[in-house]
Amino acid sequence: MSLNAVNGSAGAITAIQARLLHLHAQGLLQPLRRRATRADVVAAIEQMRLLQIDTISVVARSPYLVLHARLGHYPTVWLDEALARGQLAECWAHEACFVPAGDIALHRGWRTQRAHHWAHRNAQALHRDQRAGMDSLLEGIRRSGPVKASDYAGPERTEGAAKSGWWSWKPEKRWLEAWFALGELMIARREGFQRIYDIADNVLSRLDPPLDVAAKALPEAELRRRFVLDSVRALGVTQAAWIADYYRLKPAVTDKELAPLLASGDLLGVAVRGWDRPAYVHRDHADTLHRAMLGRLRGTHTTLLSPFDPVIWDRARARVMFDFDYALECYTPAAKRRYGYFVLPILHRGRLIGRLDAKAHRAEGRFEIKAFYLESGVATRSVRWADVASAIAETANWHGAPEVFVSSEQADAEVGALRAVLPLAAN
């Protein structure tokens, strides 16, 4: 690729080519053509740089679902095992996330810059108000070893309860979460998705690779630079305005801030036709950018995405990149929901073509389609319905709920098209 050495300009690409480059960077352009391995779980998170944690399990808990979109059928225990082996760690990043062990030093070094985050603010306020209880709990863990919230008596917040934050939990659970946000506790492992909390130094001592002490001590400006570059690499191609959200950086990233990274060659500038802002590509994607320019990137993957997938979570970015407007409605009163409780975007051969409101009835082995919506502007005849049905069936089988059924009473043509092919994919 010929690059302008002065301003780092790499030329121009179409909006479709930008979208394909983004999906390539996120591991969603093409399906994995072999059986997934344990190493693929860690590699996928290293590629994304982080994996957001959420506990809603109406389909599958989001971290597992994000990985399924990239790896296909895999045992969910592999994620738990990678955490227990120290290949991954949990910390506050975009939100609460799994991150590669090699990155945890950067996040530990950045902790003081997270004072603006709601979790950190709540933790500091809780420690001011309930210092004696929090300090006693922390000292108890130092003496006795790792604990989980259920080791303490008292009611837990129930799944599906109204979102009211930490304050609906018993005191010990709030204190554990506060110490986690403040960095004194970390997550040693999980049991049935329950966090096992331990003193941070104990968890850090077991990391693989070992903690990079030098990275932890980097100055604030260098840490921010690293997070900016990692965000651009993970996104594939991005506008400046979308970068800060990836790691929740403050203040927002601007074109002016990125100018030195263009001059150094760390970033490449690219014009995306139809975008009204400059775009940026990490130098590691230079060859992929060249392939995109030549029309050599092809989206062949069809899968269901989690609402907490990095491709989806920035609403403004998804709107520009995919012409897809998505809002999570599980905390919206039922009467005000437009699409459903936990709606899964449908990625189909490089496009977001629709959304699926689904529920896995695991005890019964049944996977329910409560509603299906094709995006306006997506022609029914342009969809490879067998691919969509296969993606739904594969997700259902992975859940151990292979019987797919449509409970929706929608009479739309697209629902009819889906009904026509689902039995073939589900059997």
Side-chain angles (χ1 to χ4, degrees), residues 131-212:
R131 183 181 298 270
M134 282 185 64
D135 289 352
S136 176
L137 177 137
L138 186 63
E139 185 56 35
I141 297 173
R142 292 188 192 280
R143 292 194 309 267
S144 304
V147 301
K148 54 182 179 289
S150 60
D151 292 336
Y152 302 93
E156 280 281 10
R157 182 177 66 178
T158 58
E159 289 220 8
K163 186 179 183 182
S164 53
W166 290 350
W167 317 116
S168 61
W169 282 324
K170 60 192 174 187
E172 290 84 0
K173 173 63 173 175
R174 298 202 305 270
W175 298 341
L176 290 167
E177 286 296 306
W179 282 128
F180 171 66
L182 294 172
E184 296 296 329
L185 295 180
M186 291 184 66
I187 310 306
R189 63 187 187 281
R190 284 178 177 260
E191 294 179 0
F193 211 69
Q194 281 195 76
R195 282 173 161 170
I196 309 298
Y197 302 82
D198 197 2
I199 298 301
D201 286 345
N202 295 338
V203 177
L204 295 172
S205 70
R206 299 192 294 268
L207 291 180
D208 178 21
L211 182 72
D212 186 345

Side-chain angles (χ1 to χ4, degrees), residues 210-402:
L211 182 72
D212 186 345
V213 178
K216 181 182 175 183
L218 289 172
E220 176 188 336
E222 178 59 21
L223 287 170
R224 181 177 169 95
R225 175 182 172 276
R226 293 279 292 270
F227 284 130
V228 167
L229 288 174
D230 280 350
S231 299
V232 178
R233 184 192 292 112
L235 290 170
V237 58
T238 181
Q239 298 179 12
W242 302 337
I243 295 172
D245 179 70
Y246 210 77
Y247 286 107
R248 298 286 203 247
L249 302 179
K250 296 286 186 178
V253 177
T254 64
D255 295 312
K256 181 179 180 180
E257 180 180 356
L258 298 179
L261 298 177
L262 287 175
S264 67
D266 291 299
L267 295 183
L268 309 174
V270 61
V272 178
R273 298 184 188 106
W275 291 12
D276 60 0
R277 297 283 190 277
Y280 302 88
V281 174
H282 194 281
R283 65 181 178 185
D284 287 357
H285 290 310
D287 289 342
T288 307
L289 174 60
H290 186 52
R291 289 170 56 205
M293 287 178 168
L294 296 176
R296 293 178 180 171
L297 291 185
R298 292 287 185 271
T300 61
H301 194 23
T302 299
T303 191
L304 306 180
L305 300 183
S306 162
F308 301 102
D309 195 291
V311 169
I312 297 299
W313 72 38
D314 186 327
R315 190 173 182 179
R317 168 163 49 85
R319 191 182 298 118
V320 172
M321 191 83 74
F322 293 94
D323 192 23
F324 189 82
D325 193 5
Y326 183 85
L328 183 64
E329 297 181 318
C330 58
Y331 301 119
T332 302
K336 296 183 178 180
R337 291 177 194 147
R338 182 179 179 186
Y339 294 110
Y341 179 79
F342 194 74
V343 173
L344 309 178
I346 302 169
L347 176 68
H348 179 52
R349 306 181 72 83
R351 298 185 297 164
L352 293 176
I353 63 161
R355 52 196 92 199
L356 185 78
D357 186 19
K359 180 176 176 63
H361 302 271
R362 284 172 281 271
E364 304 167 17
R366 308 183 79 206
F367 191 86
E368 178 184 8
I369 297 176
K370 303 171 72 174
F372 175 85
Y373 305 92
L374 202 62
E375 290 296 287
S376 61
V378 175
T380 303
R381 64 181 179 277
S382 71
V383 178
R384 298 192 183 191
W385 289 101
D387 289 356
V388 175
S390 179
I392 294 170
E394 288 172 7
T395 302
N397 277 308
W398 173 66
H399 277 83

